[in-house]
Amino acid sequence: MKDAKLDVIVKAIDLMQYTLTITSNRKRYPVKHPILARYLLWCIYRGWIIFVTGELGVKYYGRYTDDIYLIVESREYAKFCLESICQFVESLNIELNGKTQIIPFKNGLKFCGFHTYVTKDGKIIRKLTNEKKRANQKKYKRMAKLVKQNKITKDTFNRSYNSFKNHISKGNCVKFGLSLDENIANIVN
């Protein structure tokens, strides 16, 4: 990751969520070119995947931009993986944030705004986290009021709202989606 002229400084806000800055002569320049930023992230992720699957031998993991999880057999092995990952990311000048933790699989896992868990009979349940529910209810109620006051266009609202509805369709969120639709309709009409 180090170059003779430029150092790429990568800092994690969340596990593997990066803020990229290029420094030269002690001046910082944000990486604004999207292709360069994507390439740099791809190099880091590629190294990450090789490290996790190769050196650590983890079979079950997931990654989507700033969210990453590993599923391993024991708490002891999870501690070993965490220590190894800390050493790996330190070599890249990355810091893990304080939210990084080891939890029992039976508690489920928070990933990409969803809480996913397995029931006793083996059914996989994926629900939007309560924090995301509250935040988005508040956001879309506020936006609906702005539409009613003609401060934002209905098209702007619909693009954002439909994007969120598509996101929640990936989980078991039918009741929440219907309830939100009803609340929005009551405000707009």
Side-chain angles (χ1 to χ4, degrees):
M1 293 302 302
K2 295 191 177 181
D3 186 6
K5 295 180 181 178
L6 299 174
D7 287 329
V8 177
I9 297 179
V10 184
K11 292 190 177 182
I13 295 170
D14 196 0
L15 176 61
M16 303 309 277
Q17 175 181 340
Y18 301 101
T19 301
L20 296 173
T21 307
I22 294 177
T23 62
S24 177
N25 300 329
R26 299 186 187 260
K27 292 181 181 177
R28 291 180 171 236
Y29 304 96
V31 177
K32 293 185 178 179
H33 195 280
I35 293 174
L36 176 59
R38 276 192 220 124
Y39 176 73
L40 293 170
L41 287 173
W42 177 81
C43 289
I44 293 165
Y45 285 142
R46 185 173 168 263
W48 163 260
I49 291 168
I50 290 168
F51 177 75
V52 167
T53 59
E55 291 189 33
L56 294 179
V58 175
K59 294 178 185 174
Y60 306 106
Y61 68 94
R63 176 190 61 78
Y64 183 78
T65 61
D66 64 336
D67 286 339
I68 292 176
Y69 67 86
L70 307 177
I71 300 173
V72 295
E73 294 83 21
S74 69
R75 184 170 190 80
E76 291 75 30
Y77 192 65
K79 287 179 183 178
F80 169 77
C81 288
L82 182 57
E83 289 171 14
S84 299
I85 289 167
C86 287
Q87 291 173 0
F88 175 75
V89 296
E90 283 175 15
S91 74
L92 299 173
N93 293 325
I94 300 172
E95 298 172 0
L96 303 180
N97 77 3
K99 294 191 295 184
T100 304
Q101 60 182 329
I102 297 172
I103 57 170
F105 186 71
K106 66 180 181 179
N107 294 352
L109 123 94
K110 288 186 179 180
F111 184 66
C112 293
F114 289 100
H115 179 234
T116 305
Y117 58 95
V118 180
T119 63
K120 290 180 183 179
D121 59 346
K123 186 175 179 184
I124 298 171
I125 305 294
R126 177 190 247 178
K127 293 186 175 184
L128 203 61
T129 62
N130 289 331
E131 303 88 49
K132 295 286 182 187
K133 282 182 184 178
R134 281 190 295 274
N136 282 289
Q137 279 178 329
K138 189 175 184 178
K139 173 184 176 179
Y140 289 110
K141 284 180 180 181
R142 188 178 333 111
M143 283 182 76
K145 289 176 184 175
L146 292 174
V147 168
K148 190 166 185 166
Q149 298 167 359
N150 292 321
K151 292 187 178 180
I152 64 169
T153 65
K154 193 164 186 162
D155 186 51
T156 301
F157 172 80
N158 284 337
R159 274 185 285 155
S160 178
Y161 188 63
N162 289 336
S163 175
F164 176 68
K165 292 284 290 194
N166 184 45
H167 175 66
I168 66 172
S169 73
K170 308 300 186 248
N172 304 83
C173 306
V174 175
K175 288 181 184 177
F176 173 71
L178 292 173
S179 170
L180 189 57
D181 286 343
E182 187 178 310
N183 290 335
I184 298 302
N186 288 337
I187 293 169
V188 173
N189 297 329

